[in-house]
Structure formats: C-alpha cells, structure tokens
Amino acid sequence: SQTIHQWPATLVQPVGSPLSLECTVEGTSNPNLYWYRQAAGRGLQLLFYSVGIGQISSEVPQNLSASRPQDRQFILSSKKLLLSDSGFYLCALEAGGPTGELFFGEGSRLTVL
Amino acid sequence: GENVEQHPSTLSVQEGDSAVIKCTYSDSASNYFPWYKQELGKRPQLIIDIRSNVGEKKDQRIAVTLNKTAKHFSLHITETQPEDSAVYFCAATGNNRLAFGKGNQVVVIP
C-alpha cells in the first residue's frame, strides 16, 4: 500500500532563515505529488505539483520553491522565510493517475517568528 | 479554472441529528467529486467520493449526492456523533487537478 512521509513535523524558524521540508512516498512509482499550505483556520492552497522527476509546476508566485530530485521525493524550500509563510504544509500523493484520490501526509507545521 | 464553493461555512447540529453540506462547482467538465474530513491538527482524509456517472453513493452514515445539471453535490451525515466534529472539504476536478472548497466547520453538540 502507498505511504507518504513528511518531516519535520513541526518547526519554528526566524524570519529570513531558510526552509527545507521533505516528503517521501513508498508503495508507488511515478506518482503525481503536491504541496499544499493551510493557514490557520483556512482552506487548502495548492503551492506546487509535480508529475515526474525535475518537473515542477507552480500555482502561486511566492518566495517558496519545490524540487523533485528523485521519483519518490518532493522537497519544499525557501531561501528567506517571511512571517506569512507560517502554516500547515501538506504533501499529497495522487493515486490512480490524474484526478484520482489524494492521500495527504501528516503535515509539517511551520511557525515563523 | 474550476471554482468550488461550500455552504454553510459553519454548521452546528445536535448529536443524533443529520448534517448536510452543499458544494457548487463551475466547470461542467468536472467528473470527480471527493469529500475530505480534517480533524483539528490532523491531515485531511478522504471519507467518500463520487464520479459523474452516478448520482448518489452511500457508505454507512455518510452519503454524497451529485446533481450535474445544477453543478452541485452534497455530503449527508446521518445520526451525527461527537467524533463527526471536524472541517469538511469538498473538491472537484478542474484542469486535471482537484480544486478544493474553503471548508465547512461541523460541530456536533452532545
């Protein structure tokens, strides 16, 4: 069965510091992968999605970037965090090809101070 | 692109009563409509979904109905229990990706 791992689970970072959140999946090959952000009390905002190694599409212009160095690895990064980057970051795996069911990782809660 | 809206934003129900959440979507080509439940501090989890070739799907106390003509679909929870308290997100396909609504907070009052 498919599993999805995210780390770190929580982190507190100062404004201007870098960020790296990692997502890895198991039990599937060549999955579509997604990064979502959820601000407190808000909905799910799609940040990036990837259909394969090195293929990244950005939904929202911002100071975040994503990379997919391996088939089952998806990384979210920032060179300099802003206060507005605080939130709950969720990696998701799409099952069954395009527009299939999304499985979410357990999330990474980021607080920028 | 696809625009998904959910109503009401917050819903309080007495334990044992039914809850209904409605979503509308804009893209008539959408053909996949899932519902996700997110408990406080947890990840969203799929609870039920429906595809455009059926009008209703049921799984124990939850059901989803789809009206493609009117472009809306609804989540029905019967015999609500305290553990049903959560945020519920609907979604619909658009540009080959899921577009999510903003979520409904459901509170079940014991």
Side-chain angles (χ1 to χ4, degrees), chain A residues 4-43:
Chain A
I4 183 166
H5 304 282
Q6 280 187 248
W7 69 91
T10 59
L11 66 165
V12 179
Q13 295 283 100
V15 169
S17 64
L19 172 74
S20 180
L21 301 178
E22 191 160 343
C23 171
T24 58
V25 301
E26 297 175 357
T28 184
S29 60
N30 197 29
N32 291 345
L33 297 174
Y34 299 78
W35 277 111
Y36 285 87
R37 177 170 62 197
Q38 190 173 33
R42 298 288 190 89

Side-chain angles (χ1 to χ4, degrees), chain B residues 5 11 14 64 68 70 73 80 86 95-96 102 105:
Chain B
E5 295 188 0
L11 177 65
Q14 207 67 39
V64 56
K68 286 218 72 179
F73 57 110
T80 53
N95 293 325
N96 287 325
K102 293 187 186 300
Q105 175 78 56

Side-chain angles (χ1 to χ4, degrees), chain A residues 38 43-44, chain B residues 6-9 11 19-23 34-39 44-48 61-62 75-77 80-91 100-108:
Chain A
Q38 190 173 33
L44 297 162
Chain B
Q6 294 185 234
H7 310 277
S9 59
L11 177 65
V20 181
I21 307 169
K22 181 177 175 179
C23 272
W35 282 93
Y36 285 81
K37 175 184 180 183
Q38 186 179 30
E39 297 177 4
Q45 293 192 296
L46 180 75
I47 54 172
I48 196 167
R61 294 189 297 108
I62 59 172
L75 178 70
H76 305 254
I77 308 173
T80 53
Q81 300 168 6
E83 53 264 37
D84 295 327
S85 295
V87 176
Y88 292 81
F89 292 95
C90 64
F100 283 88
K102 293 187 186 300
N104 297 94
Q105 175 78 56
V106 173
V107 178
V108 179

Side-chain angles (χ1 to χ4, degrees), chain A residues 30-31 33 48-58 66-75:
Chain A
N30 197 29
L33 297 174
F48 301 95
Y49 72 95
S50 171
V51 299
I53 295 173
Q55 301 180 66
I56 309 294
S57 295
S58 173
S67 62
R68 189 163 174 181
Q70 300 179 47
D71 181 48
R72 300 176 190 181
Q73 185 183 30
F74 201 23
I75 298 171

Side-chain angles (χ1 to χ4, degrees), chain B residues 14-44:
Chain B
Q14 207 67 39
E15 182 178 356
D17 288 350
S18 295
V20 181
I21 307 169
K22 181 177 175 179
C23 272
T24 59
Y25 62 98
S26 60
D27 187 351
S28 57
S30 292
N31 59 8
Y32 176 61
F33 308 92
W35 282 93
Y36 285 81
K37 175 184 180 183
Q38 186 179 30
E39 297 177 4
L40 188 63
K42 302 280 185 68
R43 59 181 150 182

